[in-house]
Amino acid sequence: AAQEAATVELVALLAPAAGEAARAGAAEAALALSGDAAGRRLLAGRPEALTGLLELAAGPYSLAGPCSPAARHALGCLVNVSGEPAAREPLLAGLPALLNLLPGGAACGVLANLCRERGAAQRVLQSLLERGTGLDPLLQALGEPQPPPQLGPLLCNLSQLPEGRRGLLDRSRCSVQRLLPFTQYRDSVIHRRGIVGALRNCCFQYEDHEWLLSEEVDILPFLLLPLAGPEELSEEETERLPVDLQYLPLDKQREEEPDIRKMLLEAIMLLTATKAGRHLVRDKGTYVVLRELHHWEQHQEVLVACEKVIQVLIGDEPGPGMENLLEVKIPEEVEQELQRLDREEEKEQEEPL
């Protein structure tokens, strides 16, 4: 009850009538309140508080971020609260103000949280398109010396939509090529994870597989290099690999995050969905990299993902009518059996050793 009463007072202090100093103090208090789950739920349930925070956050702003401590505190609070379902609609109502703050990291963080939900992602992307900018502000920010870490998750969440993937796969703008160097980005695991997720999502567009694997994009080395280790290979095996994967140093480290390794493998798996894609992936020595990864890997989920790709690479070609695995219609009884097996596999993984 005391916290509820304090929240009511906080809402009043965030209003413009309270004055600049009072609003600045209220924004700092709101940021502190958003540091725990109960506080976030309280703020999320107060649309007027979120509106006040948005108004503060949308104050004077530069490429370096908010120009006042009050704006920084307000944006930090909104990043924390934006993951709460109750905050979604009030924040989407203030979408124009949030988009004006792009490509700032905090604004990317708020929008990334909102875009976890597909409907919200559609509204954000539609608003970007209506402004005439589309994904350009986000893609241009990739060229900054240190892109905002939250930029990767935002691009990933927008790419869950077909229209988001089309924006990243716009051949005239070389958009997807801007993402590729970040599969090895060491400065931020958050950004790296988001970018790999966006690339994985782009690989669902099977009509672009040959282009993605062509010299114009050459996506495969960027997916394989984080999975490659320092193992010595035979001369014959080395020559089959893309140039960037040949003669790696003895201190070469694999991607340290298991979920990112899994997404990289899922992206490669998607690229093998078409006959042309399978041939191109096989011809680049992918099996050799994944064979060594399989020897090294300790995480069960990543091992399973690795084995699935290896099975496609060394297995027989699918029969007539099944050349494109993403277009194959799975019979209902087979799909139910696969789901049953997946559930059993998940249960086995949950059981203690």
Side-chain angles (χ1 to χ4, degrees), residues 337 339-349:
E337 177 63 13
Q339 290 173 353
R340 184 187 68 79
L341 292 171
D342 283 343
R343 287 193 297 271
E344 288 183 359
E345 182 180 299
E346 290 173 4
K347 186 177 179 181
E348 287 176 2
Q349 291 175 15

Side-chain angles (χ1 to χ4, degrees), residues 176-289:
V176 75
Q177 288 93 324
R178 302 188 197 188
L179 306 181
L180 297 176
F182 292 101
T183 63
Q184 290 272 100
Y185 188 65
R186 309 311 305 172
D187 288 355
S188 170
V189 67
I190 294 172
H191 184 58
R192 187 169 77 249
R193 179 182 288 112
I195 293 295
V196 170
L199 288 171
R200 186 270 314 272
N201 290 347
C202 285
C203 291
F204 278 98
Q205 302 298 122
Y206 63 82
E207 62 274 14
D208 289 303
H209 282 181
E210 287 188 64
W211 175 69
L212 286 170
L213 290 164
S214 72
E215 291 184 3
E216 190 174 349
V217 180
D218 203 19
I219 191 174
L220 189 59
F222 292 94
L223 300 177
L224 285 175
L225 189 56
L227 300 174
E231 296 84 5
E232 290 188 26
L233 305 173
S234 69
E235 193 73 24
E236 181 182 353
E237 289 177 333
T238 299
E239 289 177 357
R240 290 186 61 195
L241 295 170
V243 173
D244 290 344
L245 277 86
Q246 295 182 7
Y247 304 108
L248 297 175
L250 294 177
D251 61 352
K252 169 68 172 69
Q253 300 292 314
R254 288 184 170 89
E255 166 59 54
E256 61 198 32
E257 299 293 328
D259 61 325
I260 298 180
R261 296 198 299 274
K262 185 170 181 282
M263 285 193 291
L264 290 163
L265 288 164
E266 288 168 348
I268 297 169
M269 183 70 174
L270 287 165
L271 291 170
T272 66
T274 58
K275 185 175 183 178
R278 286 190 293 278
H279 284 303
L280 287 166
V281 172
R282 284 188 185 120
D283 288 347
K284 294 292 185 178
T286 302
Y287 167 73
V288 174
V289 176

Side-chain angles (χ1 to χ4, degrees), residues 15-347:
E20 186 176 338
R23 296 181 82 196
E28 188 172 3
L31 177 59
L33 183 61
S34 69
D36 64 63
R40 288 192 290 274
R41 287 193 295 271
L42 273 174
L43 288 168
R46 294 282 183 174
E48 60 271 39
L50 299 178
T51 300
L53 289 164
L54 268 172
E55 289 174 353
L56 273 174
Y61 197 85
S62 71
L63 287 177
C67 294
S68 72
R72 287 197 294 273
H73 293 147
L75 261 175
C77 178
L78 291 174
V79 172
N80 293 342
V81 175
S82 55
E84 296 292 326
R88 190 174 298 136
E89 283 305 318
L91 291 178
L92 287 172
L95 200 50
L98 284 171
L99 295 183
N100 286 337
L101 301 178
L102 289 176
C108 286
V110 174
L111 292 169
N113 285 339
L114 293 176
C115 289
R116 291 175 186 170
E117 195 273 323
R118 190 179 181 88
Q122 288 174 329
R123 289 169 65 176
V124 170
L125 186 56
Q126 185 60 37
S127 295
L128 285 169
L129 294 172
E130 288 172 356
R131 289 162 70 93
T133 60
L135 298 178
D136 281 353
L138 306 179
L139 294 170
Q140 288 170 9
L142 292 173
E144 295 178 8
Q146 285 193 313
Q150 304 91 334
L151 179 56
L154 177 55
L155 288 170
C156 180
N157 291 343
L158 289 173
S159 68
Q160 69 179 298
L161 306 170
E163 53 268 45
R165 296 195 288 273
R166 283 194 292 271
L168 292 177
L169 293 167
D170 186 336
R171 303 188 187 193
S172 66
R173 296 175 181 267
C174 296
S175 299
V176 75
Q177 288 93 324
R178 302 188 197 188
L179 306 181
L180 297 176
F182 292 101
T183 63
Q184 290 272 100
Y185 188 65
R186 309 311 305 172
D187 288 355
S188 170
V189 67
I190 294 172
H191 184 58
R192 187 169 77 249
R193 179 182 288 112
I195 293 295
V196 170
L199 288 171
R200 186 270 314 272
N201 290 347
C202 285
C203 291
F204 278 98
Q205 302 298 122
Y206 63 82
E207 62 274 14
D208 289 303
H209 282 181
E210 287 188 64
W211 175 69
L212 286 170
L213 290 164
S214 72
E215 291 184 3
E216 190 174 349
V217 180
D218 203 19
I219 191 174
L220 189 59
F222 292 94
L223 300 177
L224 285 175
L225 189 56
L227 300 174
E231 296 84 5
E232 290 188 26
L233 305 173
S234 69
E235 193 73 24
E236 181 182 353
E237 289 177 333
T238 299
E239 289 177 357
R240 290 186 61 195
L241 295 170
V243 173
D244 290 344
L245 277 86
Q246 295 182 7
Y247 304 108
L248 297 175
L250 294 177
D251 61 352
K252 169 68 172 69
Q253 300 292 314
R254 288 184 170 89
E255 166 59 54
E256 61 198 32
E257 299 293 328
D259 61 325
I260 298 180
R261 296 198 299 274
K262 185 170 181 282
M263 285 193 291
L264 290 163
L265 288 164
E266 288 168 348
I268 297 169
M269 183 70 174
L270 287 165
L271 291 170
T272 66
T274 58
K275 185 175 183 178
R278 286 190 293 278
H279 284 303
L280 287 166
V281 172
R282 284 188 185 120
D283 288 347
K284 294 292 185 178
T286 302
Y287 167 73
V288 174
V289 176
L290 299 194
R291 180 193 67 198
E292 299 304 320
L293 171 67
H294 192 268
H295 292 327
W296 172 90
E297 185 60 62
Q298 299 295 313
H299 288 78
Q300 184 61 28
E301 287 187 4
V302 187
L303 274 171
V304 170
C306 185
E307 289 166 1
K308 288 178 179 178
V309 184
I310 289 174
Q311 286 169 6
V312 170
L313 295 177
I314 66 175
D316 296 332
E317 272 295 303
M322 298 183 68
E323 290 88 350
N324 187 336
L325 302 179
L326 289 177
E327 286 187 328
V328 173
K329 176 66 176 175
I330 301 175
E332 186 176 350
E333 63 274 13
V334 175
E335 187 169 2
Q336 290 175 352
E337 177 63 13
L338 290 172
Q339 290 173 353
R340 184 187 68 79
L341 292 171
D342 283 343
R343 287 193 297 271
E344 288 183 359
E345 182 180 299
E346 290 173 4
K347 186 177 179 181

